[in-house]
Amino acid sequence: MNNKFIFVLLFSTSASFGDGSEQACGGSPKDIVFILDESGSIYGPDFKKQLDFIQSIIESLDVGLNRTHIGVMTFGTTERVIFQLNNYTDKNETKAAVANIKQIRGQTYTHLALRRLHQEMFSSNYSRPGVSRVAMVITDGESDFPKLTKEEAELCKNAGYVMLAVGVGAAVVQAELEAIASTADDVFNVGNYSSLETLKKKLVSQACKPCENKPIDVAFLLDESTSIWGYDFKRVLDFVQSIIDYFDVGPNRTHVAVIAFATKSRVIFRLNKYPDKNRTKNAVANIKQKRGQTYTHLALKQLRTHVLSSKYSRSWVSRVAIVITDGDSDYAKKTKAEANLCKKKGYRMLAVGVGTQQVQTELETIASTADDVYKVDNYSSLMAIKDKLASKACERESVQLNLRLQK
């Protein structure tokens, strides 16, 4: 039997990944389950490295009664629950419970662990309603029953879990990693167990993306007026691409559209134009600035009558607009009127102000609520708000907003 180690970690897809002052996935409750392969092919020191790695991830999370919950299961020839999601609400107690796990060994029946995951650990007896999941599988070899593992992984994905797969060493079967993972972007590889820690930041970041398995229709409205220097407009495009990286873009997933506005408003591409993330990002990267005045109202009107209309947008998903501008519109009353019409349609309106030239009241006029207004000092600072902005765009309640209309 090939050496192999499998470990599954589940995070909420509703999570947000904060800035350096916040803990990973902070701001929304999550249910996290680690599933550890304890089969006989795993040497004791390597099993210990897995436990250390899990504890380091737990240390970075916001564990608490109404925050992140953690469970652990191990498996060899049989699977066993070490502790359920509702057993511990204190971070130190959780880490101590992980540190005390003793390896039982046996075969590598990964499918049994995945089956118990969706049948028991994420049942309503232990998992909280409204908290979605992401699974992280770490292995250095193929499971003993690949077909059953694939079938159980599909059941987990169909249940709404986002599956992340990590291969350790040269003996991994890449095809099985890809079968377990939700997408190609969710597959990771390292050379040995000692290198797992190098993946920690990427894995937690991927797991904490707020928009996984949560389809939305999102439109970016980009100010391209003359007041914006060319290199700053390029920073806007880079920022938009970084936000798109958070989204689960696909035909039945998140759709993205872009409008640019100055003296005229123009649709760069509609929601159903590009079926995948890379082509969407490339289309954004190729936008050329036209310049002109700041006729924000025209972009908002085009948003309502065209881009997010029933002709191009889906009625069953949240519809979100992100407006990025560096100054007040030339026609404030018209902007206010169009923004209210958009909010009456139920769109989630997020407003980003750059620099010191815009008036706070207009940003608040555009945004759905005061919490949907973001300000940065300059275009170089946009990246500092990408995590919070992406998280806000994917909030569940965005489709049921308690609208605050301007009078």
Side-chain angles (χ1 to χ4, degrees):
M1 182 170 59
N2 291 331
N3 285 344
K4 44 185 104 55
F5 188 101
I6 301 211
F7 133 87
V8 178
L9 161 63
L10 288 106
F11 290 85
S12 163
T13 58
S14 62
S16 64
F17 188 55
D19 59 29
S21 64
E22 300 176 359
Q23 293 189 304
C25 298
S28 60
K30 291 155 288 295
D31 285 348
I32 303 175
V33 174
F34 297 89
I35 303 181
L36 310 180
D37 182 345
E38 60 177 351
S39 63
S41 62
I42 302 168
Y43 293 112
D46 283 335
F47 188 76
K48 174 65 164 55
K49 287 172 184 174
Q50 305 301 316
L51 300 184
D52 292 342
F53 181 58
I54 294 166
Q55 292 173 76
S56 74
I57 290 180
I58 293 173
E59 179 60 34
S60 72
L61 300 172
D62 189 21
V63 178
L65 179 61
N66 298 313
R67 299 175 183 176
T68 292
H69 289 187
I70 293 171
V72 173
M73 174 168 48
T74 63
F75 68 95
T77 305
T78 60
E79 82 289 347
R80 59 193 181 113
V81 174
I82 305 300
F83 56 87
Q84 296 282 8
L85 288 161
N86 56 1
N87 286 157
Y88 298 105
T89 58
D90 176 80
K91 180 182 295 186
N92 290 332
E93 290 179 358
T94 305
K95 289 170 60 182
V98 171
N100 288 327
I101 296 174
K102 305 302 180 184
Q103 184 180 5
I104 299 298
R105 303 184 183 278
Q107 301 301 306
T108 309
Y109 290 0
T110 315
H111 66 286
L112 294 182
L114 295 176
R115 182 180 299 164
R116 193 163 183 181
L117 177 69
H118 65 78
Q119 288 184 350
E120 179 183 330
M121 295 197 77
F122 280 109
S123 71
S124 58
N125 291 330
Y126 304 105
S127 185
R128 294 165 291 178
V131 177
S132 50
R133 299 100 183 174
V134 177
M136 186 191 304
V137 179
I138 300 181
T139 180
D140 71 347
E142 189 175 26
S143 61
D144 287 347
F145 296 94
K147 183 178 179 181
L148 293 177
T149 296
K150 182 178 179 180
E151 291 174 355
E152 293 298 336
E154 285 297 324
L155 289 173
C156 289
K157 288 185 280 188
N158 290 340
Y161 315 157
V162 173
M163 308 293 288
L164 308 181
V166 179
V168 181
V172 295
V173 178
Q174 201 69 18
E176 183 165 85
L177 294 179
E178 293 171 359
I180 291 171
S182 294
T183 71
D185 291 336
D186 298 319
V187 176
F188 301 83
N189 294 85
V190 291
N192 51 59
Y193 293 111
S194 298
S195 301
L196 276 175
E197 193 69 24
T198 66
L199 284 181
K200 175 183 168 182
K201 184 175 181 181
K202 289 182 180 179
L203 288 171
V204 173
S205 178
Q206 188 80 354
C208 291
K209 288 184 177 181
C211 303
E212 295 289 346
N213 277 9
K214 190 182 298 183
I216 60 173
D217 283 347
V218 57
F220 292 89
L221 283 65
L222 310 181
D223 186 346
E224 62 175 348
S225 61
T226 304
S227 60
I228 302 170
W229 295 101
Y231 52 80
D232 280 334
F233 188 72
K234 172 64 165 56
R235 290 187 175 111
V236 173
L237 301 184
D238 291 343
F239 176 65
V240 172
Q241 292 173 77
S242 74
I243 296 292
I244 292 172
D245 267 332
Y246 282 82
F247 299 146
D248 190 18
V249 179
N252 298 314
R253 301 176 181 178
T254 289
H255 293 182
V256 178
V258 174
I259 299 172
F261 65 93
T263 305
K264 295 181 178 180
S265 176
R266 58 194 182 109
V267 176
I268 305 300
F269 56 86
R270 297 185 297 273
L271 288 165
N272 55 358
K273 178 68 173 178
Y274 298 107
D276 63 74
K277 183 179 295 184
N278 287 335
R279 278 188 276 183
T280 304
K281 290 171 61 180
N282 288 339
V284 171
N286 290 324
I287 297 173
K288 306 300 180 184
Q289 185 180 5
K290 293 292 187 182
R291 303 184 183 277
Q293 302 300 307
T294 310
Y295 290 2
T296 313
H297 67 287
L298 294 183
L300 294 172
K301 183 176 182 179
Q302 197 163 44
L303 175 74
R304 174 177 57 85
T305 62
H306 185 77
V307 172
L308 289 186
S309 70
S310 58
K311 184 175 181 180
Y312 300 106
S313 183
R314 298 163 292 178
S315 61
W316 54 274
V317 302
S318 300
R319 291 174 290 179
V320 182
I322 301 174
V323 182
I324 304 175
T325 182
D326 76 337
D328 284 341
S329 60
D330 290 345
Y331 293 94
K333 289 184 178 180
K334 291 182 179 180
T335 297
K336 179 179 179 179
E338 287 296 339
N340 276 340
L341 289 173
C342 288
K343 287 182 278 189
K344 285 180 179 178
K345 289 281 189 180
Y347 308 160
R348 183 61 172 269
M349 304 294 293
L350 308 179
V352 179
V354 183
T356 60
Q357 298 304 310
Q358 70 284 107
V359 177
Q360 181 75 14
T361 53
E362 181 161 277
L363 293 176
E364 293 175 353
T365 292
I366 294 171
S368 293
T369 72
D371 290 338
D372 297 319
V373 174
Y374 300 83
K375 293 193 71 174
V376 293
D377 293 336
N378 50 59
Y379 286 98
S380 298
S381 301
L382 278 172
M383 290 296 183
I385 64 170
K386 67 177 182 178
D387 300 317
K388 293 179 181 179
L389 190 63
S391 178
K392 180 68 73 171
C394 294
E395 284 182 351
R396 292 179 184 274
E397 61 267 25
S398 61
V399 77
Q400 298 176 335
L401 285 174
N402 181 13
L403 301 175
R404 178 181 56 81
L405 302 181
Q406 307 293 326
K407 296 182 179 180

